Amino acid sequence: MILFEEPITDIKDLIPQKFPFVMVDTLLGFSETNLISSFKILETNIFFNNHVFSEPGLIENMAQTVALHTGYDYFLRGETAPTGYIGSIKKMELYKLPELHDVIQTEAHILQEFMGVTLVEINVFNVEKVKIASSLMKTVIAS
């Protein structure tokens, strides 16, 4: 895993999602099978409700971390990031919801990739490096 000396904050062309539906804001590290993103929870976020970043927001953050991996990989090859979607969530564990101004780090580890379907293990951590959520997710590149 290569951790960038200078994190990449201009990710708008690396993922297909657009404001206000962007749930990742920084690319911290990348390898062929791994990616680390971060995201600061703001009051203006559409998934911020009752003083916390909600479960659907965390799921979308996980999926967009996978999309960021795909998008950065395509960027390195000089290609446009593809659109994709969540195919399934096999396992989701939630330990704590992030609160206002928390910065979460999401780590995606690609377990298997075949014909546009990616099986990914994803873990989300708070700034103290305590795991707050995890999932096993399949994402699919739209054809």
Side-chain angles (χ1 to χ4, degrees):
M1 163 80 69
I2 297 172
L3 293 176
F4 300 120
E5 199 170 298
E6 288 291 323
I8 298 171
T9 56
D10 185 11
I11 62 165
K12 67 181 178 303
D13 293 330
L14 300 178
I15 59 173
Q17 294 81 8
K18 303 300 175 211
F19 180 83
F21 209 68
V22 174
M23 302 300 139
V24 293
D25 56 24
T26 305
L27 173 55
L28 300 172
F30 174 85
S31 74
E32 185 177 308
T33 57
N34 295 286
L35 184 127
I36 302 174
S37 71
S38 70
F39 185 62
K40 184 173 183 174
I41 310 304
L42 300 176
E43 193 171 24
T44 55
N45 187 282
I46 60 174
F47 290 115
F48 183 76
N49 191 16
N50 294 324
H51 308 286
V52 294
F53 187 55
S54 68
E55 296 91 337
L58 273 175
I59 291 169
E60 191 58 34
N61 166 266
M62 291 176 183
Q64 287 185 25
T65 296
V66 178
L68 184 57
H69 183 275
T70 303
Y72 190 68
D73 187 49
Y74 273 60
F75 167 78
L76 293 175
R77 294 185 280 158
E79 300 175 30
T80 303
T83 300
Y85 56 91
I86 298 171
S88 69
I89 300 172
K90 184 173 183 178
K91 178 180 168 185
M92 170 76 181
E93 294 181 2
L94 177 62
Y95 309 107
K96 182 180 186 316
L97 291 171
E99 298 176 4
L100 184 62
H101 302 298
D102 283 355
V103 176
I104 57 175
Q105 281 193 359
T106 307
E107 299 180 7
H109 175 67
I110 296 176
L111 302 173
Q112 190 174 50
E113 192 168 20
F114 183 71
M115 297 185 66
V117 178
T118 306
L119 176 62
V120 188
E121 178 182 65
I122 307 165
N123 293 295
V124 183
F125 300 90
N126 63 16
V127 307
E128 291 86 26
K129 296 290 186 188
V130 174
K131 186 189 298 186
I132 62 169
S134 64
S135 74
L136 192 57
M137 183 180 289
K138 281 187 183 174
T139 61
V140 181
I141 293 178
S143 48

